[in-house]
Amino acid sequence: MRDGQYRAPLGQIIVALADGECDADLLAANFVPLCEEQLWEVGQVLQTFGSITEMRLIEVEGEGDARREIYDVDFSAGRTVKVGIGARDAEGKFTSLSFDG
């Protein structure tokens, strides 16, 4: 499967989370408080995974603003996590982000 539209912003969001930040430039205003509620836990876990070594698009769901992309994200500590990103608001910011694994 070819590279997805959301690969670059997803990488930027993951790095920000590991640094203890919810990227308000990329995440929808109503999603940021949800992100901040889970930030400490998610950020701590991501720090233990190390840096991103590879991101592979494995699935695309929906179209337009409802589009969602699912990636396998490999980290330098040897961990692979399935991450979903998508559903954009009127400003083009993401309203959905999920980690599995």
Side-chain angles (χ1 to χ4, degrees), residues 45-66:
V45 170
L46 287 173
Q47 285 179 11
T48 67
F49 291 173
S51 60
I52 296 170
T53 57
E54 188 176 353
M55 295 173 63
R56 293 177 306 284
L57 179 65
I58 58 172
E59 187 176 348
V60 175
E61 306 168 347
E63 297 177 5
D65 289 341

Side-chain angles (χ1 to χ4, degrees), residues 3-4 32 44 53 59 63 66 83 95 98-100:
D3 208 19
V32 170
Q44 293 293 312
T53 57
E59 187 176 348
E63 297 177 5
V83 183
T95 63
S98 62
F99 292 85
D100 183 18

Side-chain angles (χ1 to χ4, degrees), residues 22-91:
C22 292
D23 192 331
D25 290 337
L26 294 171
L27 299 174
N30 63 344
F31 187 75
V32 170
L34 298 171
C35 175
E36 289 174 345
E37 285 178 18
Q38 299 178 21
L39 180 60
W40 187 84
E41 182 180 346
V42 172
Q44 293 293 312
V45 170
L46 287 173
Q47 285 179 11
T48 67
F49 291 173
S51 60
I52 296 170
T53 57
E54 188 176 353
M55 295 173 63
R56 293 177 306 284
L57 179 65
I58 58 172
E59 187 176 348
V60 175
E61 306 168 347
E63 297 177 5
D65 289 341
R67 180 185 176 98
R68 187 166 158 76
E69 296 181 356
I70 314 297
Y71 289 84
D72 273 340
V73 181
D74 297 336
F75 293 89
S76 59
R79 192 73 191 260
T80 299
V81 179
K82 187 177 288 189
V83 183
I85 185 170
R88 300 179 94 170
D89 68 6
E91 296 178 350

